[in-house]
Amino acid sequence: MAAPYTAVVYFHGMGNQRRYEEVSRLIDALDRYSPHQGMDNLDAIGTLSNIKTRTEAGRGNQKEDVTFVRTIHKYRPDESATSPEDNASPIKRQTVRFYEAYWAPLTAEGVPARQVLTWLAAQVLTPVATIRSPWRYRARLRRAALQRYWHRVRDAQSSPYPDGDLLKMLRAYDAFERPDARAGYLEGTFREFLDFLEKTNTKRPKTTERLIRLARQWRRYYLQIEFTNLLVLISLALLLVIGLLGLLAFAAGLLQLLNVAWVQQLFGDLLPDPTAGHMGSLIILLAGLTGLTRFLRTYLGDVQFWTTYEETNVKYDKRKRILALATSLLRHVLEDEACRRVVVVAHSLGTPIAQDALLAIGRYNRTRNLEAAAQGPIPIAKLDHLITLGSPIDKVHYFFESMQGAYHRHIRVLDEVRGDVGTVPFAHNRKPHIHWINIWDQGDPVSGALHTPSNKKWVNLRVDNLHVTNWFFPSPGASHSGYFNHQKVMALLHAVIFHQAHSFSTVPRGSKNEPLYDTAMVGPGRFSKVTRAYRGVLLLIPWQVLIVGLMYLLDYDAWGWYAGTGVLGASVLAVMVGLSINAARGHAAPLP
């Protein structure tokens, strides 16, 4: 029998990733964080050695052989012991295996660029749809906004509400959707919800007053989020239109340059016809030269495949195959008797895949062992942590999972079948089991704090959100991939993987022998005001370009046009200065 080991299962993000490339990046980052002191000077952090690649036969429904990377972690638990002569703390060794859930081949052909553009255009008005929908509908989004507002206020230590008010509000909102409440409040509006709160808490007027005040602030905060989302989406759409117009102008100039005699003689049949009917094809051609087509086909195409939840859509088969691959690998690892503990690490689009794979395994166990799903048939009790980096899970739910239906039971069935962090394997008997730590960066447009996975009834069953700053100024691509070079992130991952830090299974207990889960939490982290201001500048640039362009076309007063151009120039200059500072200073918290 193999030696006992800890397993790390890594889910890579979107794009044409190469096999073992992303998991190797994770191992390299952990190896860089571990000091290479040699056996004579080990400390509590330790060092990695004997990093070797191994292959084993598949187990269960994993038919193919599985390759993993094995390493030996050596450390001395007592930091004061720094030499072999100090026998107070002997050297310890543990085996850790790294597996990769490699799903890139399943989306290799991508999606046509035009189809992705059409799909993206349909998402622009999502905020309008959510604002117009009755307060009863899109319940997970509403609850996520409440959780976000609550923790924002609590983290600022300025909450006027007792701890129990959040639970009361969540339960009241859940009750507002039940059949008896639907019969009495047919439209499900926010005004009806306030009336429902008042009539169901008649015996406690002070509590009712607080809940109504909290509900109003909740709705105000929700509308603020939606209007911000609308502004961001319209700005991005405007930026895309400006980019296409720029390509159109470039195409017109290119056609004029190509209109010379010897080019016409040699390549006349191959040149595009400069008519309006062929201009769209030319734009797509030029976009491909700049890399836009590749980005649409591969990166956003992956998102479209994974977020196809309609089972009658042909793209759903891709999603189903990706999920089957992920669950098969997790089962392969969990069912190995030598495996003692499992840490799941995921980046970018790999995070919703990892979440759904874990929930799928939980449903498998509940179906076959309803009374004790945590005990089997798949030994999911080994799952200890889920670490997500740059996760778009809340955005995925916002655009693609959120829906409203004519039948109240339909949405409830979907939510209960899917599950959240209050269901197996994330929790057992209403107590958290998997510590889900979500690491995000305001400068990373893909990421965000995660609140949609939170349980709708129990406030302690939630995601632990930790904010970090990868770059001094937001740089979308660099910020999204910068977690693996962040010293604090790697320190956390190293502690979790090699020392089982921040585990719910090892938290201290209180006076009544109750687990003190809050002691394991690591969030919320620190936020940068510079990042917020810089994001605002980036968001306003497309509007400034539009205004300056309209001034030019309408032959606006010269001084007004100069003023608009000056403001636009200042914004562009600020962006260039930020990029220059990033290039000069590098990562905000680099690994050594």
Side-chain angles (χ1 to χ4, degrees), residues 233-394:
L233 289 171
I234 294 178
S235 300
L236 291 175
L238 181 60
L239 181 62
L240 182 61
V241 170
I242 291 172
L244 290 177
L245 289 176
L247 287 172
L248 183 61
F250 174 76
L254 181 64
L255 288 173
Q256 291 179 355
L257 291 174
L258 292 176
N259 191 22
V260 293
W262 67 271
V263 173
Q264 293 291 342
Q265 292 176 0
L266 292 176
F267 306 104
D269 295 335
L270 300 177
L271 291 176
D273 185 0
T275 61
H278 294 81
M279 197 57 69
S281 299
L282 182 59
I283 290 174
I284 294 297
L285 172 63
L286 294 174
L289 296 176
T290 61
L292 179 60
T293 299
R294 178 177 178 273
F295 174 77
L296 293 173
R297 286 177 56 87
T298 57
Y299 290 89
L300 293 184
D302 285 356
V303 177
Q304 188 175 8
F305 277 129
W306 179 251
T307 56
T308 300
Y309 293 93
E310 184 59 55
E311 296 185 39
T312 56
N313 191 316
V314 293
K315 292 185 179 65
Y316 181 81
D317 180 64
K318 293 282 188 181
R319 186 185 193 281
K320 188 176 179 180
R321 291 169 61 189
I322 293 172
L323 185 59
L325 180 149
T327 54
S328 177
L329 178 62
L330 283 173
R331 288 191 60 179
H332 168 85
V333 175
L334 289 167
E335 291 176 351
D336 185 3
E337 293 183 2
C339 177
R340 295 292 184 262
R341 186 172 69 98
V342 177
V343 176
V344 178
V345 181
H347 177 241
S348 187
L349 189 61
T351 63
I353 296 174
Q355 177 198 19
D356 282 11
L358 291 170
L359 289 171
I361 287 177
R363 287 192 296 271
Y364 182 91
N365 269 22
R366 291 202 307 270
T367 303
R368 290 155 181 80
N369 192 359
L370 183 61
E371 298 300 325
Q375 277 69 50
I378 301 175
I380 56 180
K382 297 178 182 179
L383 292 163
D384 197 27
H385 285 83
L386 169 61
I387 312 294
T388 52
L389 309 165
S391 174
I393 286 176
D394 270 21

Side-chain angles (χ1 to χ4, degrees), residues 494-560:
H494 193 283
V496 166
I497 294 172
F498 298 109
H499 298 286
Q500 201 175 358
H502 311 292
S503 173
F504 287 150
S505 63
T506 59
V507 295
R509 294 184 173 269
S511 57
K512 297 181 180 180
N513 200 35
E514 74 281 9
L516 302 177
Y517 295 112
D518 285 346
T519 61
M521 297 296 187
V522 298
R526 300 181 62 182
F527 297 85
S528 170
K529 293 181 180 180
V530 174
T531 300
R532 293 179 179 178
Y534 195 72
R535 287 175 60 189
V537 172
L538 291 173
L539 190 64
L540 291 176
I541 285 180
W543 296 96
Q544 293 171 0
V545 173
L546 176 64
I547 292 172
V548 170
L550 290 176
M551 284 181 173
Y552 177 79
L553 293 175
L554 297 175
D555 197 19
Y556 202 76
D557 177 73
W559 288 107

